[in-house]
């Protein structure tokens, strides 16, 4: 279906651009991953850019969902029909929808909190730089060509400022070339976008002549390729037609492969990075004041390289390559509150070892991949042999993150445990993607981490795959699950009306008990669950739940249910005060 062109850069254009960018990066992801040799040849630039934009799309869609109260019609693609929502100038009337500032603000924030890797973090700052210019226009419903030119210029400038040591021949060079070309364009948004795209594409082709590692590998810069892809989507937004494919020279480079081009690339990176190069990539979100972030930049710059710090207004995304990951996290703690911490050991698959030193890693036969809501549960699952993906409260993982976790497991067969009813569609999409990559995936629809614990307890890799999946599914299905949490607002529930601050007991996803005391609600929930029988009670305490709650429940089980055993785990920051499982 042909894309309907947007005349102005308004909220709908932002939504369209984000959606088109995500689809384009999805198509180009493998190609971009394959040419990723700088700063580390870890083959994930395309995936990181996709995940970053996926987070931006989710944020923009959430803003539109909050405003779509008019029941507007939708076309065959699912987009709302706005043909009657335009004023005399052709700009969209935002009375019933988000403003341009709302949309670009959501886009920038979504990219910031979802940024992955070096290139994804820089892309997040590019989008934030654009948003800073466009939100300055106040309640304006749209901007035209001159406004878009200013936004692209500020985006390139702010991204360069976010990088501790800018290097030419990278995405920064491509972004600057796009802004330069846009500066010379006259006309509407379509003309500006087309000029930016052409300038970026020309700069991308020239990157091998600016960065020796690219020239030796016979590739262009992967991050720059991703930005050109995003700018092509911007052209399509305003013209209704996508530019032709990005025709640039590239030789396929795969981490862990034994190709001659890949070996040359890794050798060059090792040479540029010093003796071996840093061993870890550390990424985290940080709540901190500007002055503290300035000190953090200096501290991290002394610890490692590839330092990029993006964001502002109290929220930052920090990316750095270091040998001492603990010191990088501690520096964040000194600056403010770091969270969503991701530490990746480059190990066998990075660019800091030569091709001769790292033979391709053999796939294991079978693995379990699980989404877990807290650090304590992540440690428990990992100890049991699972590959885990940590999901923070209110921050469910995207399908791309689940696919990445499946890849990390590096197995021929994977059992996927989403551990959340709301993740069933996301997990199904991830499983389908993994299957196209040759991995046999079975999705067990676990609705709680306690069901996942039960499934993992009966996992036997030596069994036939189908038999193992049946046993794990049966164990999960036989486990009733509950949680105790605190109501955030007044609401109607299946147990009546609750007020903000009330303690809620949910059994199998439905509110069953409303009370004021955590221990009393938990005991009532447990009694109701055990009234139907059970042999084992699993209690997972959150960080904010006092140990006395578990002690009381254990005593209750010993006194009233003589044949029932109890196990207690600390789940960490899992959202709920308490998770309960009864098998």
């Amino acid at each position: 279906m042909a894309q309907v062109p947007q005349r102005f850069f308004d909220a709908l254009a932002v939504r369209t651009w984000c959606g088109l960018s995500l689809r384009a990066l999805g198509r180009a992801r493998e190609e971009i991953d394959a040419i990723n040799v700088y700063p580390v040849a870890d083959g994930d630039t395309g995936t990181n850019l996709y995940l970053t934009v996926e987070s931006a799309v989710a944020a923009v869609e959430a803003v539109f969902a909050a405003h779509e109260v008019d029941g507007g019609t939708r076309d065959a693609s699912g987009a709302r029909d706005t043909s009657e929502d335009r004023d005399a100038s052709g700009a969209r009337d935002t009375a019933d929808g988000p403003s341009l500032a709302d949309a670009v603000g959501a886009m920038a924030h979504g990219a910031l909190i979802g940024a992955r890797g070096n290139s994804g973090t820089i892309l997040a700052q590019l989008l934030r730089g654009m948003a800073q210019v466009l939100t300055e226009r106040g309640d304006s419903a749209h901007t035209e060509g001159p406004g878009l030119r200013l936004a692209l210029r500020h985006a390139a400038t702010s991204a360069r400022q976010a990088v501790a040591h800018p290097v030419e021949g990278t995405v920064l060079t491509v972004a600057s070339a796009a802004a330069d070309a846009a500066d010379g364009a006259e006309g509407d948004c379509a003309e500006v976008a087309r000029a930016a795209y052409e300038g970026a594409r020309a700069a991308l082709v020239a990157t091998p002549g600016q960065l020796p590692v690219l020239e030796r590998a016979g590739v262009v810069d992967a991050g720059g390729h991703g930005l050109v892809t995003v700018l092509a989507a911007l052209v399509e937004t305003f013209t209704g037609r996508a530019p032709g494919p990005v025709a640039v020279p590239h030789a396929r480079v795969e981490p862990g492969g034994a190709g001659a081009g890949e070996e040359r690339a890794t050798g060059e990176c090792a040479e540029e990075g010093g003796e071996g190069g840093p061993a870890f990539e550390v990424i985290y979100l940080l709540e901190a004041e500007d002055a503290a972030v300035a000190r953090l930049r200096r501290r991290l710059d002394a610890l490692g390289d590839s330092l990029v710090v993006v964001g502002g207004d109290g929220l930052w995304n920090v990316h750095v390559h270091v040998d001492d990951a603990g010191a990088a996290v501690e520096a964040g703690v000194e600056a403010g509150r770091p969270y969503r911490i991701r530490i990746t050991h480059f190990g066998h698959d990075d660019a800091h070892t030569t091709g001769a030193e790292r033979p391709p890693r053999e796939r294991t036969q079978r693995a379990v991949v699980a989404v877990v809501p807290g650090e304590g549960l992540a440690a428990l699952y990992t100890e049991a042999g699972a590959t885990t993906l940590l999901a923070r409260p209110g921050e469910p993982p995207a399908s791309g993150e689940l696919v990445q976790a499946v890849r990390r497991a590096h197995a021929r067969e994977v059992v996927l445990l989403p551990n959340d009813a709301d993740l069933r569609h996301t997990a199904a999409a991830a499983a389908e993607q993994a299957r196209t990559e040759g991995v046999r995936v079975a999705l067990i629809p676990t609705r709680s981490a306690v069901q996942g614990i039960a499934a993992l307890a009966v996992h036997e890799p030596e069994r036939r795959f189908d038999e193992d999946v049946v046993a794990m599914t049966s164990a999960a299905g036989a486990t009733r699950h509950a949680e105790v949490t605190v109501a955030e607002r007044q609401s109607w529930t299946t147990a009546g009306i609750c007020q903000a601050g009330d303690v809620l007991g949910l059994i199998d996803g439905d509110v069953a008990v409303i009370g004021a005391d955590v221990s009393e609600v938990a005991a009532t929930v447990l009694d109701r669950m055990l009234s139907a029988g059970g042999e084992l009670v699993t209690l997972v305490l959150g960080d904010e739940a006092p140990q006395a709650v578990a002690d009381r429940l254990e005593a209750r089980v010993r006194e009233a249910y003589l044949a029932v055993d109890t196990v207690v785990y600390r789940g960490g920051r899992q959202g709920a005060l308490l998770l309960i499982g009864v098998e």
Side-chain angles (χ1 to χ4, degrees), residues 32-295:
I32 296 173
D33 281 347
I35 63 171
N36 174 201
V37 300
Y38 184 86
V40 175
D42 47 358
D44 63 357
T45 292
T47 300
N48 287 336
L49 289 169
Y50 180 88
L51 293 173
T52 301
V53 174
E54 186 177 47
S55 182
V57 168
V60 172
E61 289 301 320
V63 166
F64 269 86
H67 282 81
E68 285 181 350
V69 295
D70 58 351
T73 59
R74 294 181 177 272
D75 62 21
S77 70
R80 193 165 69 91
D81 180 5
T82 58
S83 57
E84 297 182 359
D85 295 341
R86 303 260 172 192
D87 61 22
S89 69
R92 193 169 70 87
D93 181 3
T94 59
D96 294 324
S99 66
L100 173 61
D102 291 336
V104 294
M107 173 187 71
H109 181 74
L112 176 67
I113 65 174
R116 302 290 189 277
N118 190 67
S119 294
T121 307
I122 292 173
L123 177 61
Q125 187 65 10
L126 287 167
L127 297 179
R128 177 178 170 80
M130 292 186 69
Q132 286 176 318
V133 170
L134 297 172
T135 54
E136 286 176 357
R137 306 179 75 83
D139 295 331
S140 176
H142 70 279
T143 192
E144 300 185 33
L148 182 56
R149 285 201 301 270
L150 289 174
L152 290 168
R153 169 55 63 195
H154 188 64
T157 301
S158 62
R160 199 168 274 272
Q161 292 171 344
V163 178
H165 302 285
V167 174
E168 297 307 324
T170 65
V171 63
L172 297 175
T173 305
V174 176
S176 294
D180 290 343
D183 283 343
E186 298 293 338
D188 59 12
C189 288
E191 291 300 319
V192 173
R194 190 179 292 109
Y197 166 76
E198 294 294 346
R201 187 172 66 168
L204 177 64
V205 174
T207 55
Q210 298 172 295
L211 202 55
V213 63
L214 302 179
E215 185 174 30
R216 293 186 182 222
V219 301
V220 296
D221 180 64
H225 193 333
L227 178 57
V228 170
T229 302
V230 170
L231 289 173
L234 185 63
V235 173
E236 185 178 0
T237 298
F238 295 119
T239 67
R241 296 187 174 211
V246 182
V248 294
H250 60 267
R252 188 168 183 82
V253 180
E254 295 191 61
E262 182 270 341
E263 187 172 332
R264 289 195 302 272
T266 55
E268 178 67 21
C269 274
E271 179 182 323
E272 294 196 0
E275 185 63 29
F280 298 95
E281 177 185 57
V282 178
I283 304 174
Y284 50 80
L285 291 178
L286 177 70
E287 293 178 356
E289 299 298 325
D290 289 5
V293 171
R295 293 191 295 270

Side-chain angles (χ1 to χ4, degrees), residues 282-285 329 333 338-343 390 392 573:
V282 178
I283 304 174
Y284 50 80
L285 291 178
V329 175
V333 173
Y339 61 103
R340 291 185 68 172
I341 300 167
R342 295 180 179 85
I343 300 174
L390 191 61
R392 298 292 188 192
R573 290 175 290 178

Side-chain angles (χ1 to χ4, degrees), residues 238-491:
F238 295 119
T239 67
R241 296 187 174 211
V246 182
V248 294
H250 60 267
R252 188 168 183 82
V253 180
E254 295 191 61
E262 182 270 341
E263 187 172 332
R264 289 195 302 272
T266 55
E268 178 67 21
C269 274
E271 179 182 323
E272 294 196 0
E275 185 63 29
F280 298 95
E281 177 185 57
V282 178
I283 304 174
Y284 50 80
L285 291 178
L286 177 70
E287 293 178 356
E289 299 298 325
D290 289 5
V293 171
R295 293 191 295 270
L296 175 67
R297 289 179 192 268
R298 294 190 292 271
R299 173 87 179 274
L300 292 179
D301 193 26
L303 286 175
D305 59 31
S306 297
L307 173 61
V308 185
V309 180
V310 305
D313 300 321
L315 180 63
W316 309 83
N317 191 307
V318 179
H319 170 281
V320 67
H321 294 172
V322 293
D323 280 321
D324 190 344
V329 175
E330 288 172 7
V333 173
E334 292 176 6
R337 186 179 80 88
Y339 61 103
R340 291 185 68 172
I341 300 167
R342 295 180 179 85
I343 300 174
T344 302
H345 183 248
F346 292 125
H348 295 296
D349 296 331
D350 74 26
H352 302 312
T353 55
T354 65
E357 292 174 329
R358 52 182 181 87
R361 184 160 59 100
E362 181 67 23
R363 286 183 180 271
T364 58
Q365 182 59 33
R366 189 175 307 160
V368 176
V369 174
V371 181
V372 290
E375 298 90 341
L377 280 171
L380 175 66
Y381 273 73
T382 301
E383 186 177 350
T387 297
T388 61
L389 177 60
L390 191 61
R392 298 292 188 192
E395 299 172 0
S399 61
E401 292 176 279
L402 279 169
V403 173
Q404 281 286 79
V406 171
R407 291 178 185 141
R408 280 194 287 114
H410 205 63
R412 298 182 184 89
E413 302 169 338
V414 168
V415 180
L416 184 56
L417 306 176
N419 292 338
D420 186 338
D422 292 335
L423 286 179
R424 61 189 183 279
H425 297 306
T426 301
E432 190 60 36
Q433 173 62 37
R435 292 183 188 114
T436 67
E437 298 177 7
V439 182
R440 187 180 185 188
V441 182
L443 171 61
I444 298 178
T446 47
R447 302 177 66 191
S448 170
V450 291
Q451 288 188 322
I453 292 172
L456 201 53
V458 300
H459 169 55
E460 291 186 15
E462 295 77 18
R463 278 192 297 223
R464 289 178 56 248
F465 185 64
D466 291 339
E467 293 176 354
D468 198 28
V469 171
V470 168
M472 295 176 72
T473 302
S474 178
T479 302
R480 298 190 69 196
H481 62 94
E483 66 177 81
V484 176
T485 188
V486 176
E488 296 181 354
R489 63 184 67 86
Q490 184 186 60
S491 179

Side-chain angles (χ1 to χ4, degrees), residues 450 453 536-540 565-569 579-583:
V450 291
I453 292 172
L536 176 66
V537 172
T538 300
L539 305 175
V540 184
D565 294 323
T566 306
V567 292
V568 180
Y569 303 109
L579 300 178
I580 304 174
V582 173
E583 302 175 45

